[in-house]
Amino acid sequence: MSATSRVWGACRTLAVRSRPAAPRTEPLLCSVRSGRRWYSDDAGKTQLPESQPPQPTEDKASASRGAVAAATAAAAEAGGSPADALGDEALHQLFYGGRAAPREADGGLTPAQEESLYHSGRIPPSGEAEALVAADQPSPALPRGFRRRTEHKFPLPEKPFPADFNHKKRYHPVVDLFVRLIMKDGKLAAAQRHMATLMNVLRTSPAPIYSPKFPLLPGTPPASHLPLNPILYLTIAVDSVAPLLKIKHLAGGAGGGRALEIPVPLHLRTRRRHAFQWILEAVSKKPSKGSGKKQFGHRLAEEIIAVVEGRSSVWEKRKMIHKLGTAARVNVGSKKRVKKKKSG
Amino acid sequence: MASANSMRSLMRPTVQLSPRVVAIPSSVAAFSTTIPNLEVRQKKVQVPKKKKVVVHVKKPNPGERKAFRKRIQLSNNSALEVQGLASLEPDTMARESNAGQIFALPSDVQDRLRVLEAFKHSQSWNLFRKPHLLVRKEVVQLASKLEAAAQDKKALHLVLTGQRLAGKTVALLQAMTYGLMNDWVVINIPDGHDLTNGNTEYSPVPDTDPIQFTQPVYTFKLLNTIYNANKAIMEKLELQKDWSSSTNQKGKGTLADLILSAKEAEWAWPTFAALWTELTLPGRPPLMFTLDGLSHINKMSAYRDPSFNLVHAHELTLVRTFVDAMSGKTKLPNGGAIIATTGGNNSPKIPSQDLVLSQLEAGQAGREIPKPDPYKKGYEDRVYDSLKNSTVLRMGQLTKDDARVLMEYWGASGLLRARVDQRTVWEKWALGGNGVVGEMERASLLTMRM
């Protein structure tokens, strides 16, 4: 048996799960780039000129869109650009729809919605999530004349393989990323222990109290659902506080020696990595209040709970980046080249 | 006369004999025609030092860090409440029919066990809504032996052995639960190495050869624990002897009065000795004395006598009380149990202890009795003699049925998110070293793969 098939065989026995392929959703600012812009003469309109991206058709969504439109209209009348009135929450509602804070009556997440969150960073409506899962199932039909090999003790993985069927992606995407960020000096087992402590502290902590000033990811389940699902708790915290863009500085691009700030959208893993590194930085600055091996896990859990409750300093960092990005939004997609002055 | 001062005056003139003219350093170079500007002061460039930002944080008070680390939490309000599980009754654990089932611990017994320090912070009671116990077949055997000991008014001398994380301490807890629910008097020493690692005060007993030592502070704490855990029984039992010569208890009273008469650590050991004598008189309830960490009381302690020789643990009076009860030298006329637990990660190897326990186990199983190694050093007769009259109960591995029951409970509490089917149960059973409870817990509850 070749080395490759042994790897696939090992993966198969480790975890039997069906993962949806990462849905090919474009990041936020790509959709902005594709022509759906607010223009000053659209101030009074409730709908964008072109058809909207698919949104959950609920009364509350249309009500929120109406509220957003009213806010932008008010801002336009006041003399500023319509986008000035759009805070974070309004932008979220515009592009994702739904409520910022979930009601207790709203159900929790289905397994398909959870998988979609872990792999794509957004919580789709349950119908869409089921469709994504169904699309990822390998078709059972085999070409004619294909003879199944029956001599394998453990079944071989079935073709066609999903798009990200790689041995480097065999673990949970969120947990794997965060454990490796915690790891120091290559001590993975120690990092895994810290992660396990973090999970157990989240499980034994009371349900968080959502803050209306710091809305979490749209589609977030009610707070009482989080403690017993610590991976979901962690993912909601990190995905909510993750920055959507980074500022790329083009040296000398703004003229007069100043750098041109170009907002660039971040992909899912990068967003999560930035957010988690901010969280780790905040944790490293906390003073030690206990003793023993579980201190780091406790501090990390406290910070995650603080993020979900809106008490963390990480929200300020995110706000700063988004502010800069909004201020420099005119440079989005700019392909400016700075001419190098010839010496002499 | 030559004096120190005279030598000094030769080397260093301390008094200036004549005022000297000190030349003012001029800012003008030699042979220069520049008009000197004496008003120009030499500017000193002030280089500001980088101030380290000192964040003043309130440090925890002494003892807070350890208290936080060692805290016992028995409930988790985020966990789900498991419905449909019966509560423990006084005779539940002794019934064969209850083997392999989970029972809830009644809250009053829970409080008394907490006082006795029966729960350990390394166990995972803090993950569940309420403490529940799995009645394994070894626990049924243990409870039946306790029941027989009380009925026949004979003392049970038991040693609980087993591999690491096999569930020995929890079995000891279940024995204590049986005792508390059946109105026994329960005394527990939560950790043997607290007595012998030299961290608690010790004082010599006069006129003893070899010199014995009492541990007043530890004994005082132990007396308080016994009182708080067995309050109802202690307040009912009347003293049968007069203890006014050795303790603060003057005249008649109850055992509770006797314990409370020890107001200081100085009186702790005589009071404990009096209490022990009272409890071993006929007409008292059965007595249970448990100890976790047998290896620690069978070796040389960290204490030293006045001649700077190491003191053996058996020379400590509290340990001596336990060991005499274990060997059968002290009779328990009302029945009872002396139970010790071996093992744990931090346990020294005691050759005599290992030998006697292996011999007892072999004898119980009908196998060939192992002999001592003639080339090995370190055998001690007193350790051998203290344990040779005891019974050994080995905590083995869980069966797959027990594992299934336990995992269903974990799943019902919301802590195991995986689907509890045959595949998952067998997987966790295998990952747990073929059913070692503690290892199964580590693989299911204390892992990051949820």
Side-chain angles (χ1 to χ4, degrees), chain B residues 52-352:
Chain B
K52 258 192 178 174
V53 178
V54 177
V55 180
H56 291 284
V57 289
K58 188 178 178 308
K59 287 197 172 173
N61 297 325
E64 263 183 39
R65 289 184 197 254
K66 184 175 178 180
F68 182 75
R69 194 175 81 239
K70 303 263 185 186
R71 74 198 188 290
I72 306 288
Q73 275 175 319
L74 296 175
S75 80
N76 173 17
N77 284 334
S78 300
L80 303 173
E81 188 155 350
V82 183
Q83 313 282 353
L85 291 177
S87 199
L88 271 178
E89 300 283 316
D91 62 345
T92 316
M93 285 188 280
R95 301 282 148 263
E96 192 77 43
S97 52
N98 293 327
Q101 288 181 39
I102 293 192
F103 293 91
L105 199 57
S107 52
D108 54 331
V109 180
Q110 190 181 311
D111 295 333
R112 293 165 76 187
L113 286 169
R114 192 196 267 271
V115 166
L116 283 169
E117 291 179 67
F119 298 105
K120 295 251 158 34
H121 67 278
S122 56
Q123 293 159 348
S124 50
W125 304 105
N126 65 323
L127 294 176
F128 300 94
R129 193 69 169 244
K130 274 178 5 175
H132 284 77
L133 296 169
L134 171 68
V135 178
R136 301 164 61 171
K137 66 174 190 333
E138 290 97 339
V139 170
V140 171
Q141 286 175 28
L142 169 61
S144 335
K145 287 190 203 238
L146 292 172
E147 201 178 39
Q151 275 170 8
D152 305 339
K153 293 210 185 280
K154 276 195 177 162
L156 168 71
H157 308 284
L158 189 70
V159 176
L160 289 167
T161 52
Q163 59 171 294
R164 193 172 81 102
L165 295 170
K168 304 179 287 292
T169 306
V170 173
L172 198 66
L173 183 147
Q174 287 176 319
M176 281 189 257
T177 309
Y178 181 89
L180 290 171
M181 295 186 83
N182 286 282
D183 300 322
W184 292 30
V185 174
V186 180
I187 304 174
N188 179 38
I189 294 179
D191 227 328
H193 73 153
D194 282 339
L195 286 172
T196 54
N197 63 359
N199 283 358
T200 183
E201 283 92 333
Y202 71 129
S203 76
V205 175
D207 306 321
T208 47
D209 181 44
I211 191 164
Q212 289 187 9
F213 295 90
T214 65
Q215 285 158 306
V217 175
Y218 190 95
T219 315
F220 187 66
K221 195 177 121 261
L222 186 65
L223 277 173
N224 276 321
T225 306
I226 297 170
Y227 172 69
N228 287 318
N230 300 288
K231 207 183 267 195
I233 305 173
M234 292 289 167
E235 281 168 355
K236 278 189 222 149
L237 298 171
E238 293 287 335
L239 291 169
Q240 287 177 12
K241 285 189 172 179
D242 179 38
W243 296 107
S244 46
S245 55
S246 53
T247 65
N248 276 338
Q249 175 61 23
K250 313 291 177 213
K252 291 198 181 289
T254 59
L255 288 184
D257 297 331
L258 176 64
I259 296 174
L260 292 172
S261 71
K263 300 266 192 302
E264 286 172 352
E266 202 192 316
W267 293 100
W269 174 251
T271 315
F272 182 84
L275 178 69
W276 181 256
T277 314
E278 283 284 340
L279 287 171
T280 49
L281 292 171
R284 302 299 197 192
L287 178 63
M288 184 184 280
F289 197 170
T290 56
L291 180 133
D292 202 341
L294 182 64
S295 312
H296 294 283
I297 63 157
N298 281 334
K299 61 172 189 153
M300 298 301 276
S301 73
Y303 295 112
R304 289 188 183 267
D305 67 6
S307 318
F308 208 66
N309 301 318
L310 281 172
V311 170
H312 195 271
H314 288 198
E315 304 307 332
L316 303 167
T317 47
L318 197 51
V319 173
R320 178 62 71 89
T321 313
F322 183 83
V323 161
D324 283 347
M326 188 68 163
S327 61
K329 196 163 152 203
T330 313
K331 298 271 180 272
L332 298 182
N334 311 302
I338 313 293
I339 313 179
T341 313
T342 60
N345 242 345
N346 173 31
S347 66
K349 286 226 174 291
I350 314 286
S352 296

Side-chain angles (χ1 to χ4, degrees), chain A residues 13 16 114 171 175 179 192 195-196 199-200 203-206 227-231 287-292 298, chain B residues 57 60 65-66 68-69 71 76 78-80 126-127 413-417 423 444-450:
Chain A
T13 49
V16 177
E114 261 191 61
Y171 298 122
V175 175
V179 162
Q192 288 173 342
M195 191 64 153
M199 301 240 185
N200 274 339
R203 290 207 286 192
T204 52
S205 62
L228 280 182
N229 193 348
I231 300 182
S288 154
K289 280 188 196 149
S291 58
H298 274 274
Chain B
V57 289
R65 289 184 197 254
K66 184 175 178 180
F68 182 75
R69 194 175 81 239
R71 74 198 188 290
N76 173 17
S78 300
L80 303 173
N126 65 323
L127 294 176
S413 295
L415 294 162
L416 192 64
R417 294 191 70 85
R423 194 205 152 86
S444 318
L445 303 175
L446 306 177
T447 174
M448 59 164 211
R449 294 174 204 281
M450 304 214 152

Side-chain angles (χ1 to χ4, degrees), chain A residues 78-313:
Chain A
S81 96
D84 282 346
L86 295 175
D88 258 346
E89 192 182 318
L91 274 175
H92 262 296
Q93 283 180 358
L94 190 69
F95 290 105
Y96 297 121
R99 289 174 67 84
R103 285 189 294 234
E104 195 61 42
D106 294 344
L109 303 183
T110 61
Q113 282 177 309
E114 261 191 61
E115 284 294 322
S116 189
L117 168 64
Y118 298 143
H119 290 275
S120 69
R122 58 178 278 265
I123 302 175
S126 48
E128 195 185 317
E130 301 293 332
L132 286 167
V133 167
D136 190 48
Q137 298 294 345
S139 64
L142 292 163
R144 242 197 191 179
F146 186 87
R147 195 172 53 87
R148 267 193 198 282
R149 297 180 67 183
T150 51
E151 55 264 32
H152 294 282
K153 187 173 180 182
F154 299 104
L156 288 179
E158 292 196 357
K159 282 188 178 178
F161 302 138
D164 57 348
F165 197 55
N166 184 313
H167 76 286
K168 291 182 179 175
K169 295 181 182 176
R170 62 191 187 275
Y171 298 122
H172 193 287
V174 178
V175 175
D176 187 45
L177 173 64
F178 296 161
V179 162
R180 283 165 200 284
L181 286 171
I182 295 170
M183 173 169 67
K184 278 188 182 173
D185 303 332
K187 295 180 179 175
L188 187 62
Q192 288 173 342
R193 275 194 297 105
H194 293 315
M195 191 64 153
T197 314
L198 158 70
M199 301 240 185
N200 274 339
V201 175
L202 289 179
R203 290 207 286 192
T204 52
S205 62
I209 302 164
Y210 292 155
S211 165
K213 277 197 239 169
F214 298 95
L216 302 172
L217 211 58
T220 299
S224 58
H225 289 219
L226 294 187
L228 280 182
N229 193 348
I231 300 182
L232 180 66
Y233 201 153
L234 183 58
T235 314
I236 292 280
V238 173
D239 278 346
S240 304
V241 88
L244 297 171
L245 44 92
K246 74 168 185 187
I247 308 294
K248 203 166 97 166
H249 296 275
L250 185 62
R258 289 169 302 181
L260 184 69
E261 289 167 355
I262 303 172
V264 164
L266 293 177
H267 293 292
L268 178 65
R269 251 184 91 94
T270 321
R271 294 205 291 270
R272 285 178 171 162
R273 211 179 63 240
H274 274 82
F276 202 64
Q277 279 173 336
W278 288 343
I279 291 172
L280 286 178
E281 210 183 299
V283 165
S284 66
K285 289 182 182 150
K286 281 194 192 173
S288 154
K289 280 188 196 149
S291 58
K293 292 180 191 173
K294 295 193 178 176
Q295 291 182 73
F296 183 74
H298 274 274
R299 269 184 268 154
L300 200 45
E302 269 171 27
E303 191 63 24
I304 297 289
I305 298 169
V307 165
V308 172
E309 293 189 341
R311 292 181 279 116
S312 174
S313 55

Side-chain angles (χ1 to χ4, degrees), chain A residues 33 250 260 262 331-338:
Chain A
R33 230 192 294 136
L250 185 62
L260 184 69
I262 303 172
N331 303 325
V332 165
S334 168
K335 294 212 169 65
K336 190 164 183 166
R337 296 263 183 275
V338 180

